[in-house]
Amino acid sequence: MEKQIQSALISVYHKDGLAPVVKKLHEHGITIYSTGGTAAFIREQNIPVTTVESITSYPSILGGRVKTLHPKVFGGILARQTLAQDREDLVKYDIPQIDMVMVDLYPFGQTVASGASDEEAIEKIDIGGISLIRAAAKNYYDLLVISNQGQYRKFLRILEKKGPQTSLEERKIFAAEAFHISSHYDTLVFNWLNRENLVFAWKDSFSGGKKLRYGENPHQQGYFYGDFESLYTQLHGKEISYNNLLDIDAAESLVAEFNETVFAVLKHNNACGIAAREKLIEAWTDALAGDPVSAFGGILSTNVEVNAETAEGINKIFFEVIIAPGYTDEALKILEQKKNRIILIRKSFGFQSLIEKSALNGVLVQERDSKVEASSDLKTVTKRQPSEAEIRDLLFANKVVKHSKSNAIVLVKNQQLVGNGIGQTSRVDALKQAIAKADSFNLDLHGAVMASDAFFPFADSVELADKAGITTVIQPGGSVRDQESIDYCDNHNMSMVFTGIRHFKH
């Protein structure tokens, strides 16, 4: 059902891109109604415009808070044009019929993000604009609604292709986008007002969405909602998949913990290799040595620019994604030799303060685990004190185990991951897995340290670690049988520190 546009109400905050639209409307003889700054802008284009004030006989009042909130405006928008009674009301009350509404909203989100005061933020809560958008979207059978600056060009293409007329399907799509805009805006306002949890409710909204090739498996459809481009620039490679996104998130969360030069290799959201070294090539070499088998098809992440020497080493294996803050020109040429290889530049580490997970047809929400233990947080509970080198390894291992699936054990030596056991149903099994992995790659555990994401319920784990050559342990503590583990360490010249912080990850 094509509808002809004969009149349009335009009142926008963002005017970039508006000029060609209003010029095209004018070419087609469309009557334009407008307010304040938008009306002035349209006049500057030498286009006639009728002010809303001339329709309502009311000026803009209360410092601009009330401009369009009037029956003569909303009547023209909400009138059902096929209903005789509504048409009669328009004539009776001298209300102009409106066929199109073009409105965008005050930049509330940007205002809050800028650190503005509460008073400034409140003034950027749009009332008239959002009311116009909702009214026009509700009446999409008869009206077209343009609800944000990003739609100006899309609407202009319609005008250029077929003139001032739209199909029902087009109007419905614009209406759906309008309700998305309004609901997203309301969510921003609600979460700002409710930042002290005055109302026990959870709302979240993402304005960007993308259909992925598939979900976790090819028979599952997958989607990503978020602004990936604000965090990364993709320089090369195939389309990023659902599983790639999960691995990228895990890799970035881990690498962000380190200030020193590190290289990490992840697979299925867990580290299979990570090392810190002065030179990047050495960090890469030692990270790969931690588990060169699992590295196949993995995700690579580092916190320094990738140079040609390191790229040559990396290029010898198959991997899905590499993430870095930059690449030298020569390094990029090397890495681009594989056409499907995804190469990302990290713009910034950006993590939300809250994380959410669907469960039982609802949502679990919690604060991100942002605790990073320092040497001052370590409490030595054994007779033997760890050395400075051991403390450095303990803190390194504790960061890695924090980002490993529970139950998790991580073994580190000289700031290199030399073994890990992840996702096990018992802690001792996780340790057995870690030791077996180190042995399979001929990695010497004598003098290594062990990190556990939660307390040891029995002394069997420290006994097994001792027999493997491990000399120092970091764990949260808190078991009713902690003393058994402490006594074993004291009797075998091991050191153990408690952090008091558990790092479960499921």
Side-chain angles (χ1 to χ4, degrees):
M1 183 173 62
E2 295 284 333
K3 293 284 292 189
Q4 198 76 18
I5 299 172
Q6 297 178 327
S7 61
L9 171 60
I10 303 176
S11 181
V12 297
Y13 185 89
H14 299 98
K15 298 173 181 63
D16 290 344
L18 179 61
V21 175
V22 294
K23 289 176 181 177
K24 185 62 68 173
L25 289 172
H26 178 58
E27 287 177 13
H28 288 284
I30 308 303
T31 300
I32 299 176
Y33 303 101
S34 191
T35 62
T38 306
F41 176 86
I42 294 171
R43 287 194 193 95
E44 289 172 3
Q45 315 307 312
N46 297 315
I47 296 171
V49 59
T50 302
T51 63
V52 168
E53 291 89 341
S54 67
I55 299 172
T56 63
S57 299
Y58 272 90
S60 172
I61 61 174
L62 305 180
R65 280 190 165 196
V66 179
K67 290 180 283 194
T68 57
L69 296 168
H70 194 281
K72 283 199 170 185
V73 175
F74 280 85
I77 295 170
L78 287 167
R80 292 157 290 188
Q81 296 176 13
T82 58
L83 198 64
Q85 182 61 57
D86 285 9
R87 294 198 304 270
E88 291 172 8
D89 283 346
L90 293 183
V91 174
K92 180 178 180 179
Y93 297 106
D94 193 24
I95 299 173
Q97 176 180 302
I98 295 174
D99 302 310
M100 179 187 122
V101 170
M102 188 174 190
V103 177
D104 65 359
L105 302 175
Y106 293 156
F108 175 80
Q110 295 94 313
T111 301
V112 171
S114 72
S117 66
D118 283 10
E119 290 75 15
E120 291 172 307
I122 288 169
E123 290 307 312
K124 286 297 186 288
I125 298 177
D126 206 310
I127 301 300
I130 206 162
S131 300
L132 290 168
I133 285 173
R134 289 176 61 84
K138 174 179 179 176
N139 205 20
Y140 73 89
Y141 268 84
D142 293 315
L143 265 77
L144 174 69
V145 57
I146 307 298
S147 54
N148 71 86
Q149 185 183 21
Q151 296 172 339
Y152 294 179
R153 185 170 295 180
K154 181 179 178 180
F155 173 58
L156 184 60
R157 286 197 296 266
I158 292 175
L159 285 175
E160 292 171 342
K161 182 179 179 180
K162 60 179 182 179
Q165 60 182 5
T166 56
S167 67
L168 179 60
E169 181 181 1
E170 288 169 333
R171 295 194 299 278
K172 187 175 183 179
I173 292 171
F174 276 104
E177 291 177 350
F179 277 113
H180 162 64
I181 292 293
S182 67
S183 64
H184 180 72
Y185 194 86
D186 284 342
T187 297
L188 292 176
V189 175
F190 169 78
N191 286 334
W192 176 73
L193 286 172
N194 199 46
R195 55 195 186 275
E196 297 174 357
N197 292 317
L198 303 173
V199 179
F200 198 68
W202 169 252
K203 298 183 186 299
D204 204 354
S205 176
F206 294 95
S207 57
K210 180 181 181 181
K211 184 177 180 180
L212 304 173
R213 286 178 290 162
Y214 51 81
E216 202 161 8
N217 299 292
H219 64 276
Q220 297 170 273
Q221 184 57 64
Y223 304 88
F224 174 70
Y225 296 97
D227 189 2
F228 186 83
E229 286 72 24
S230 69
L231 301 175
Y232 304 96
T233 298
Q234 183 171 352
L235 301 179
H236 184 77
K238 63 184 179 181
E239 180 184 350
I240 297 173
S241 71
Y242 182 99
N243 290 329
N244 289 156
L245 290 168
L246 288 175
D247 282 331
I248 289 168
D249 182 75
E252 293 293 83
S253 296
L254 173 59
V255 171
E257 300 275 10
F258 297 90
N259 294 318
E260 60 269 47
T261 297
V262 295
F263 213 118
V265 184
L266 278 85
K267 193 79 169 286
H268 295 295
N269 309 158
N270 291 287
C272 54
I274 182 170
R277 297 289 184 265
E278 288 187 10
K279 294 183 177 181
L280 185 61
I281 182 61
E282 295 173 354
W284 157 249
T285 301
D286 289 344
L288 179 64
D291 187 346
V293 174
S294 296
F296 182 87
I299 305 292
L300 314 185
S301 181
T302 183
N303 54 2
V304 299
E305 182 183 66
V306 175
N307 55 36
E309 181 184 21
T310 307
E312 288 283 7
I314 293 169
N315 199 42
K316 296 175 183 178
I317 73 163
F318 168 72
F319 62 90
E320 288 271 333
V321 181
I322 182 168
I323 314 158
Y327 307 84
T328 66
D329 291 342
E330 191 176 350
L332 199 55
K333 289 179 182 178
I334 296 167
L335 295 173
E336 287 178 341
Q337 291 174 10
K338 303 293 185 181
K339 68 175 183 178
N340 288 331
R341 183 178 284 164
I342 297 168
I343 303 174
L344 299 177
I345 286 184
R346 177 191 308 112
K347 297 179 182 178
S348 66
F349 285 116
F351 305 109
Q352 292 179 305
S353 60
L354 296 177
I355 57 176
E356 56 191 270
K357 181 182 292 188
S358 61
L360 302 172
N361 298 325
V363 179
L364 288 169
V365 181
Q366 66 172 349
E367 294 176 344
R368 181 175 290 275
D369 185 358
S370 58
K371 176 63 177 175
V372 180
E373 286 75 24
S375 57
S376 58
D377 297 313
L378 308 184
K379 177 184 177 183
T380 303
V381 293
T382 52
K383 294 176 182 177
R384 185 173 84 79
Q385 297 279 336
S387 67
E388 288 187 11
E390 286 174 327
I391 289 174
R392 187 166 57 249
D393 278 352
L394 289 172
L395 294 175
F396 185 98
N398 203 53
K399 291 175 181 179
V400 179
V401 82
K402 169 185 168 181
H403 292 280
S404 303
K405 297 289 186 182
S406 300
N407 287 309
I409 293 289
V410 162
L411 309 179
V412 165
K413 185 176 180 180
N414 298 327
Q415 293 190 287
Q416 176 193 13
L417 177 63
V418 291
N420 59 348
I422 48 181
Q424 299 302 302
T425 52
S426 76
R427 196 152 302 280
V428 71
D429 281 347
L431 176 55
K432 289 176 181 178
Q433 183 188 64
I435 293 171
K437 179 176 282 192
D439 288 343
S440 70
F441 298 118
N442 298 314
L443 295 170
D444 183 14
L445 291 179
H446 289 85
V449 308
M450 173 172 70
S452 176
D453 61 339
F455 65 66
F456 293 108
F458 307 102
D460 53 356
S461 290
V462 291
E463 180 179 354
L464 187 61
D466 172 45
K467 292 177 179 178
I470 294 160
T471 56
T472 308
V473 180
I474 184 171
Q475 60 141 320
S479 168
V480 295
R481 304 179 74 164
D482 275 344
Q483 194 59 47
E484 294 179 14
S485 295
I486 295 170
D487 289 344
Y488 183 92
C489 289
D490 283 339
N491 292 331
H492 294 82
N493 196 34
M494 297 176 70
S495 62
M496 179 184 287
V497 300
F498 285 1
T499 64
I501 301 294
R502 188 180 75 185
H503 287 299
F504 270 167
K505 183 183 179 187
H506 297 102

